[in-house]
Structure formats: structure tokens, C-alpha cells
Amino acid sequence: MDIRVSGHQVETGEALKEHVEERLTAIADKYFSRTISAQVTFGKGPHDHGFHCTIVAHVMQGVILKGEAGSAGDAHAAFEEAAGHVEKQLRRHMNRLKDHHKQANGDMPAIMPEPNAGYTVFKGSEDEETPEDNPPIIAELKVDIPDASVSSAVWMLDLRNTNALLFKNTDTGIYNMVYRRRDGSIGWVEPERPV
């Protein structure tokens, strides 16, 4: 597995890099030894001076896991928290794949291709001041909209580590959305059908 460690305005030493490689290799060996790569980025918060860590792991073609840790006292603690999130996601993903193979009822979708999204940031003119309560709008130009059941869409939402997922419901043929609520539960939006 190709593991890259970098720091955003933070120096990453050899001991930290070795620890990251050992821990991620152990996670991959435990759940899926053919994991492709992982990018680990460390940084410090501007106000609290705590460390944060982001891990983006490419497990297999189209399966990308992301773990983040907020403000921790040191880089090792931030990494351990983020690695725990990735390990939990990978364990869930592998369990779902095992369950899928056992059931073989076609309820789970095929592994999604890696998204090829481009981003455009819409800002006001250079002369305008942007108020803090009006952030720039970022449009994702290329996004796949999968055909899935509601349970499969929730699975993809968790797998992609996103806050919302638009999908075409295989049961109704109508576009639906699942999203992660602030309390951690999952919301499901289904448009009202014409009578």
C-alpha cells in the first residue's frame, strides 16, 4: 500500500511517519490487504493550536474512505482518532460486502466508479466584501447519481463519508435523497408523487 504523509504548516517527523505506516498497514492487513493507497495530512488549527488529521484511503477501485480528527493535543492523538474512523468504515464496508455475498439477492449496488468531480467556486466581484454569513457557493459539475434502494443509498452515504446523497430509487424510479442529520440519524427525502 502506498502511504503518503504530509503536513499543512506542520513538520512531520520520521517517528510519526513510521507510526502512520505501521498502523494503516495493520488496518489494511486486518480487513483488506489489497488496499491501494492512503494520504494522511496533518495540520494545526488557527485559534486553538490543536492538531487535526485527515486520512483519505483508496481501498479498491471506486471505494474511498475518509477519516478526520478535530482538535487533539498532539499529532499522534489526532491520527489515532482519524485512523479509528477509517478502520470502522472499512470494517462496516467489508461486513456489508460479506452479507451481500451471502444474501446474493441483488439489493446492494455494484461498487461505484471513482467520482470525477470538478468544482467551480462562485464568488462576488473582487470589489465586493463577502459577509461571513454568506459563504461562496461551490458547484460540483460531474456527479454520478446511482440507482439504488433506500438501504443501499444509506450504505453509499456512509461509505462515501458525505452529508447527503441524491439517488434514483430502484423501487419507484423517482429521485430521492438521504442525508445525515445533526443528531447523527439518517433522513430520507422522497418527493410527493402526483395523484
Side-chain angles (χ1 to χ4, degrees):
M1 175 170 61
D2 178 33
I3 300 173
R4 297 182 184 172
V5 180
S6 60
H8 182 67
Q9 299 178 351
V10 172
E11 189 65 35
T12 57
E14 286 301 315
L16 181 59
K17 288 180 182 179
E18 287 177 20
H19 177 69
V20 166
E21 288 179 8
E22 287 174 9
R23 177 83 161 97
L24 290 180
T25 302
I27 291 171
D29 289 345
K30 184 174 181 180
Y31 296 105
F32 190 74
S33 61
R34 294 175 291 180
T35 300
I36 300 168
S37 66
Q39 173 69 43
V40 182
T41 307
F42 291 94
K44 284 188 101 170
H47 304 292
D48 60 3
H49 303 292
F51 285 85
H52 61 269
C53 177
T54 302
I55 302 171
V56 178
H58 296 261
V59 178
M60 59 184 76
Q61 184 64 32
V63 178
I64 301 170
L65 305 178
K66 184 177 181 183
E68 293 182 293
S71 183
D74 64 16
H76 286 272
F79 169 72
E80 285 300 324
E81 184 180 338
H85 294 302
V86 169
E87 183 174 17
K88 183 177 180 180
Q89 290 173 15
L90 185 56
R91 182 179 64 245
R92 284 181 175 174
H93 176 64
M94 297 313 291
N95 286 340
R96 286 178 179 146
L97 287 179
K98 287 177 188 174
D99 290 345
H100 170 65
H101 289 300
K102 286 179 186 174
Q103 294 173 0
N105 65 359
D107 186 40
M108 300 295 268
I111 298 299
M112 302 302 297
E114 187 167 340
N116 183 17
Y119 298 94
T120 303
V121 179
F122 297 97
K123 296 182 182 176
S125 68
E126 295 289 327
D127 302 334
E128 274 182 39
E129 276 191 37
T130 305
E132 288 183 26
D133 62 341
N134 190 12
I137 299 168
I138 301 175
E140 296 185 24
L141 301 177
K142 296 179 185 176
V143 179
D144 64 316
I145 300 175
D147 291 339
S149 66
V150 176
S151 62
S152 297
V154 171
W155 173 70
M156 285 185 272
L157 177 77
D158 193 33
L159 179 65
R160 293 178 177 190
N161 198 24
T162 60
N163 292 327
L165 177 74
L166 179 68
F167 67 100
K168 187 173 182 182
N169 192 324
T170 54
D171 296 333
T172 63
I174 298 173
Y175 289 99
N176 290 195
M177 183 178 76
V178 289
Y179 63 98
R180 191 169 314 282
R181 299 167 55 108
R182 287 185 186 199
D183 64 0
S185 61
I186 303 293
W188 171 28
V189 178
E190 182 176 35
E192 189 174 323
R193 291 185 223 166
V195 179

